[in-house]
Amino acid sequence: MASTTFDFASWPPALSDTQLETLTVYATSYALSHGLLYLPPTASGRQPTVPSSAIHAPISLFPAPFPRKLFDQGRRIQKAYNILYARIAMDEEFLDRIMGAEEGVGKVDDFIGQLWRGWKKLRDVGLVQPLQFGLFRSDYLLHAPANEPLSIKQVEFNTISVSFGCLSQKVAELHRYLLSATNYYETSPFLKRENFPANDNITGLANGLAEAQKAYGVPGSQILFVVQTGERNVFDQRPLEYELLEKHSIHIIRQTFDELAHTASLDPSTSVLRVAVPKDIHPSGQVEISTVYYRAGYMPYDYATPADYATRFLLEESCAIKCPSIALQLAGGKKVQEVLTQPGMLERFLGDEAKYGKDGVLSQEEIEDLRKSFMGMWGLDVAEDMLTPDVDAVKAGREEFGVRKAREAALSLVLKPQREGGGNNVYKEAVPSFLDSLPPQERQAWIAMELIKSPEDTGNYLVRAGTESQAPVKAEVISELGIFGWALFGGSTKEVKEEEVGWLVRTKSKDSNEGGVATGFSVLDSLLLVD
């Protein structure tokens, strides 16, 4: 048993049928009243121009128990992660080697290759905006191996279209409301106000975007939200728009790649990005863009035609600050995550005093604090020294050491490709047959990661809209903690200005290997801090 006074197997507390029904009514009514919403699915997959209905987002009835000291650790190391990924994005040589189309992942992954080649062409001409901006989320699971203390282990680090900041704040508020309204029927001594941490994602994320706007420095310029066609998760985006307008007087324009192909243009002499709008909306017929914030562009299906790639490269070419730049998107690659576990790599980015100056390095204790969050992982293409690609094995068509090791440890592994959005990983029993089908030349795009062992027998009540009864489902669950941060960096000094700004929890049935809320695998949750 892990060393904690809280018994995870006791969760959730028992409820009578009447208590469960009342709690569900309170929760769903609150969600519908407070913008904890999704647009409903449509037969065509496209949303109407003027929305006329909404459903509540998938939610839990109880907050997820999480050790207080491990939550504090996740918040503490976010500073190191913010700096780490900012510096990776500024290291072109490293990204070319790890993610590029000549010797890295982009050589075998066409999507990554197309992004890298477009970025390389722009670099060869000369990028006009040295500043970059990132909204980040580092995701963790509790790790509870036998006879060892609980720890947190990183699942992944997200650098593009980081979602659910706004709705996570609202679900934390929902659980605090349920505590105030019902005291959860006094079913657990842990359910008390001081164990429900505050969450102010909306202010924190909007403050970051406002810093990018300030750095751009042109009064009246606007922030461009690049969104997906048929986006259902608009209620996770709109609160940032409202916060930016109300607190910072910054206006937002939302457009898809399809729309931007017709509306976006660059000034040939200044590279200023402008987006055309109807003159009865804006007198000049166009608005100048300070910051491009991507809530699209992270998956191949976001680039349905070559014109979509052309639009992405047009935006990248501009002097607007990108969130993220292509470089920062590439930095979020799974292969980068794997390479960072190799000896000396964290010290390269966080401990090199000659490169970053005395005030720009982290202590070895801070670096080790971050390293403790890593699980074991390796590339399928690596040689036996676990550091270099096994090029000879690929040429000969034989298995690399990394593949053989994955076969031997299959039941304790997940294989991850360079894909975002959920539904792409390969787990345990499926690993050997997948390795049989994977062409040798594609192995470079995959990593093997040791599975995180979450506490056993923890449950919750999950409530999803769209089912006939809307009844909560009690399930054994796994909860994932995400810590949000932002970083503004670049320029001649390569200074990194950063903050940790909040958190989320996503909870899924233990029977589900994937974790995406938007893809239907998870529900939104919040934290109950326990000792």
Side-chain angles (χ1 to χ4, degrees):
M1 182 68 188
S3 58
T4 176
T5 57
F6 181 83
D7 180 11
F8 283 85
S10 69
W11 205 255
L15 295 173
S16 70
D17 290 345
T18 302
Q19 289 171 338
L20 181 58
E21 181 180 358
T22 303
L23 206 62
T24 303
V25 171
Y26 280 15
T28 54
S29 298
Y30 183 96
L32 291 166
S33 301
H34 290 79
L36 187 44
L37 304 172
Y38 267 9
L39 291 177
T42 62
S44 66
R46 301 182 70 89
Q47 292 293 331
T49 304
V50 181
S52 59
S53 62
I55 58 176
H56 69 76
I59 53 176
S60 66
L61 290 185
F62 284 87
F66 204 92
R68 192 183 309 271
K69 67 177 182 179
L70 297 181
F71 173 60
D72 291 341
Q73 180 193 356
R75 296 187 64 188
R76 182 175 66 247
I77 63 177
Q78 187 63 31
K79 172 185 176 65
Y81 271 119
N82 291 340
I83 295 171
L84 173 63
Y85 276 85
R87 289 179 176 168
I88 291 170
M90 292 186 284
D91 193 328
E92 295 176 357
E93 181 276 329
F94 176 82
L95 288 175
D96 287 346
R97 178 166 57 87
I98 303 302
M99 298 297 288
E102 294 174 356
E103 54 181 318
V105 171
K107 183 170 63 176
V108 295
D109 185 306
D110 184 61
F111 174 54
I112 297 301
Q114 291 217 52
L115 289 178
W116 181 85
R117 283 187 290 270
W119 176 51
K120 179 69 164 55
K121 288 180 180 178
L122 294 173
R123 284 160 45 196
D124 290 344
V125 175
L127 293 169
V128 297
Q129 178 52 266
L131 294 177
Q132 302 181 55
F133 179 71
L135 292 181
F136 302 141
R137 196 186 69 228
S138 187
D139 293 335
Y140 306 93
L141 289 174
L142 287 175
H143 186 45
N147 303 315
E148 293 184 28
L150 276 172
S151 59
I152 55 169
K153 296 296 183 179
Q154 188 186 64
V155 178
E156 62 183 357
F157 192 88
N158 303 275
T159 63
I160 183 170
S161 190
V162 174
S163 59
F164 294 113
C166 299
L167 292 190
S168 291
Q169 176 175 326
K170 292 178 181 293
V171 80
E173 293 165 353
L174 159 67
H175 286 149
R176 286 198 293 274
Y177 157 74
L178 292 177
L179 179 69
S180 296
T182 70
N183 201 31
Y184 279 101
Y185 309 109
E186 300 183 354
T187 53
S188 169
F190 292 96
L191 289 163
K192 50 189 178 182
R193 176 68 59 170
E194 57 263 37
N195 293 339
F196 287 61
N199 197 8
D200 200 9
N201 290 334
I202 297 172
T203 294
L205 295 172
N207 284 349
L209 286 165
E211 284 291 329
Q213 171 87 4
K214 180 181 177 182
Y216 185 77
V218 176
S221 58
Q222 300 188 14
I223 295 178
L224 170 65
F225 282 29
V226 182
V227 298
Q228 292 177 322
T229 301
E231 176 65 78
R232 294 179 55 211
N233 196 22
V234 295
F235 300 103
D236 187 52
Q237 301 169 11
R238 291 290 188 180
L240 288 180
E241 176 181 342
Y242 306 147
E243 182 82 3
L244 285 164
L245 184 60
E246 294 166 8
K247 301 291 179 61
H248 303 280
S249 299
I250 299 171
H251 288 259
I252 301 302
I253 182 169
R254 295 169 57 89
Q255 293 210 354
T256 65
F257 276 134
D258 282 348
E259 291 170 324
L260 288 166
H262 303 286
T263 61
S265 64
L266 297 189
D267 185 296
S269 59
T270 63
S271 296
V272 165
L273 174 63
R274 295 186 174 91
V275 175
V277 295
K279 286 196 172 183
D280 53 354
I281 299 295
H282 195 284
S284 70
Q286 58 185 6
V287 294
E288 180 173 349
I289 301 301
S290 68
T291 306
V292 181
Y293 172 42
Y294 288 98
R295 292 299 292 254
Y298 55 90
M299 290 283 282
Y301 62 66
D302 284 328
Y303 303 86
T305 68
D308 294 329
Y309 282 103
T311 299
R312 176 68 188 273
F313 300 143
L314 177 78
L315 302 180
E316 193 76 13
E317 185 182 357
S318 77
C319 66
I321 297 171
K322 272 68 69 175
C323 175
S325 64
I326 293 176
L328 187 52
Q329 181 174 349
L330 294 174
K334 304 296 190 298
K335 186 65 177 178
V336 170
Q337 183 186 11
E338 178 258 315
V339 170
L340 290 174
T341 67
Q342 297 173 7
M345 293 308 299
L346 289 183
E347 285 76 7
R348 167 178 175 161
F349 292 105
L350 299 175
D352 188 343
E353 187 173 325
K355 186 173 183 179
Y356 298 112
K358 186 175 181 179
D359 295 333
V361 299
L362 275 63
S363 69
Q364 195 59 41
E365 182 180 5
E366 290 173 308
I367 293 173
E368 289 303 322
D369 201 16
L370 185 151
R371 186 175 274 125
K372 289 175 185 176
S373 68
F374 291 166
M375 286 297 288
M377 62 187 81
W378 64 89
L380 294 185
D381 64 325
V382 296
E384 195 155 358
D385 62 11
M386 297 298 290
L387 291 174
T388 59
D390 198 345
V391 177
D392 292 336
V394 174
K395 288 180 178 178
R398 62 181 171 83
E399 284 195 345
E400 301 96 325
F401 175 78
V403 174
R404 295 200 307 275
K405 185 175 180 180
R407 287 190 188 279
E408 294 166 2
L411 294 181
S412 62
L413 292 182
V414 54
L415 302 184
K416 293 185 173 184
Q418 183 44 51
R419 286 289 179 270
E420 304 295 335
N424 304 297
N425 298 336
V426 180
Y427 291 83
K428 297 189 290 190
E429 294 88 350
V431 167
S433 60
F434 175 79
L435 292 174
D436 290 339
S437 67
L438 185 66
Q441 65 272 20
E442 294 183 16
R443 291 171 185 162
Q444 190 174 5
W446 289 79
I447 67 167
M449 176 176 170
E450 295 174 356
L451 282 170
I452 302 168
K453 299 177 181 178
S454 297
E456 298 284 343
D457 303 322
T458 304
N460 210 326
Y461 291 95
L462 313 181
V463 185
R464 291 183 173 90
T467 59
E468 185 174 339
S469 66
Q470 297 247 28
V473 174
K474 187 178 182 181
E476 189 175 344
V477 299
I478 296 173
S479 295
E480 182 173 285
L481 170 70
I483 303 292
F484 290 99
W486 62 259
L488 179 67
F489 56 95
S492 58
T493 64
K494 296 192 175 181
E495 178 186 0
V496 180
K497 183 175 185 178
E498 57 77 33
E499 285 189 9
E500 174 267 317
V501 296
W503 49 271
L504 68 69
V505 180
R506 293 175 297 177
T507 291
K508 65 180 180 180
S509 168
K510 192 175 181 182
D511 296 331
S512 172
N513 283 325
E514 299 295 343
V517 176
T519 48
F521 297 111
S522 299
V523 304
L524 294 169
D525 204 338
S526 76
L527 286 175
L528 178 75
L529 297 181
V530 297
D531 298 311

